[in-house]
Amino acid sequence: MRAITAERPAGFHGRRKGKPLRPIQKSLFETLFPRLELDLSHPAPQALGALFEVPTEDYGLEIGFGGAEHLVAEALRRPRRGFIGVEPFVNGMAKALVAIDREKLGNIRLYNADAREVLAWLPEASLANIDILYPDPWPKARHNKRRFIAEATVAQFARALRDGGTLRFASDIPDYVEWALAAFAGNADFMSVERDTATPWEGWPGTRYEAKALKAGRVPGYFSFERRARRLRDED
């Protein structure tokens, strides 16, 4: 197991660790996390079901799950879906471990470094869904290049998603929304799913970041993109 430290993973910007962990959180990092951590030093299994402790039928990835409210709610709501949660922030990972232990969830695996490493590791067309919820907008112009959604990562999303798979993106920052929409519009492997972007998706549990945005008077937007069929894309 890689040691959990406050050091930034390669390619990651921002805080790595916040408040000191509680004893139960420290204990779960020693006992539960080694069982759930993805080992990218070995090739990914072609059948991702081999990663999980319970039978699974399809697979989802949540990038930057924060306090894990949505990740855990989805795992409870979809017990036959295997979820991979990526969160470099140590305190967010600690919250996920506590919730996973409390709910006795066997359909979640975790990774605490750069999500681009997981995207590159996964087999092509292996995911049914990717969620990116309230990512850091890096609002200063000189930091825009640090935004996770960009031309290169959109191409990685397209490789990992199966035909008809869905990527869901939520943000309360209009400039980042425009940035992300432009990145997806520039990739012919995706098409926007027409919907009411002011309304969260079915089963949405809310997150602390959403609550913070609403309290500040910002209006969140919820966007969905569908992965085009590879055969049809090749014929265009």
Side-chain angles (χ1 to χ4, degrees), residues 178-202:
E178 291 181 12
W179 171 286
L181 294 181
F184 282 101
N187 188 305
D189 288 326
F190 283 98
M191 61 180 178
S192 178
V193 178
E194 294 295 332
R195 62 181 305 280
D196 175 11
T197 58
T199 301
W201 305 286
E202 179 186 355

Side-chain angles (χ1 to χ4, degrees), residues 113-176:
D114 192 336
R116 284 165 286 215
E117 298 171 359
V118 176
L119 287 164
W121 177 79
L122 287 166
E124 183 174 355
S126 58
L127 298 178
N129 172 254
I130 297 174
D131 286 325
I132 307 173
L133 310 175
Y134 297 95
D136 193 326
W138 293 105
K140 294 182 180 178
R142 69 177 183 272
H143 292 154
N144 283 175
K145 63 181 179 293
R146 297 180 179 182
R147 290 173 169 175
F148 188 81
I149 296 178
E151 181 180 341
T153 48
V154 170
Q156 283 189 301
F157 304 151
R159 190 196 74 83
L161 280 169
R162 71 187 187 192
D163 293 357
T166 302
L167 184 141
R168 304 190 302 184
F169 161 66
S171 177
D172 60 306
I173 307 298
D175 177 64
Y176 195 11

Side-chain angles (χ1 to χ4, degrees), residues 3-198:
I4 301 294
T5 72
E7 296 179 2
R8 292 189 181 99
F12 174 75
H13 303 277
R15 287 194 309 158
R16 178 76 162 129
K17 192 174 186 296
K19 297 178 180 179
L21 300 181
R22 303 196 311 270
I24 182 60
Q25 294 173 327
K26 290 181 179 180
S27 175
L28 289 172
F29 264 120
E30 296 174 358
T31 58
L32 180 59
F33 184 71
R35 199 176 85 223
L36 301 183
E37 182 190 23
L38 289 182
D39 182 359
L40 272 56
S41 67
H42 298 288
Q46 285 302 309
L48 292 185
L51 297 173
F52 299 93
E53 300 174 350
V54 296
T56 49
E57 298 171 347
D58 59 12
Y59 307 95
L61 170 67
E62 184 165 341
I63 295 172
F65 58 69
E69 302 97 333
H70 179 263
L71 176 66
V72 170
E74 283 289 278
L76 287 167
R77 191 169 76 94
R78 297 176 178 269
R80 302 287 291 187
R81 173 169 288 183
F83 290 89
I84 296 172
V86 181
E87 178 53 66
F89 190 51
V90 173
N91 298 71
M93 186 64 70
K95 290 182 174 67
L97 290 170
V98 170
I100 292 168
D101 182 61
R102 181 183 65 241
E103 302 293 346
K104 307 303 178 189
L105 292 169
N107 61 332
I108 295 181
R109 295 296 300 270
L110 300 170
Y111 192 68
N112 77 309
D114 192 336
R116 284 165 286 215
E117 298 171 359
V118 176
L119 287 164
W121 177 79
L122 287 166
E124 183 174 355
S126 58
L127 298 178
N129 172 254
I130 297 174
D131 286 325
I132 307 173
L133 310 175
Y134 297 95
D136 193 326
W138 293 105
K140 294 182 180 178
R142 69 177 183 272
H143 292 154
N144 283 175
K145 63 181 179 293
R146 297 180 179 182
R147 290 173 169 175
F148 188 81
I149 296 178
E151 181 180 341
T153 48
V154 170
Q156 283 189 301
F157 304 151
R159 190 196 74 83
L161 280 169
R162 71 187 187 192
D163 293 357
T166 302
L167 184 141
R168 304 190 302 184
F169 161 66
S171 177
D172 60 306
I173 307 298
D175 177 64
Y176 195 11
V177 168
E178 291 181 12
W179 171 286
L181 294 181
F184 282 101
N187 188 305
D189 288 326
F190 283 98
M191 61 180 178
S192 178
V193 178
E194 294 295 332
R195 62 181 305 280
D196 175 11
T197 58

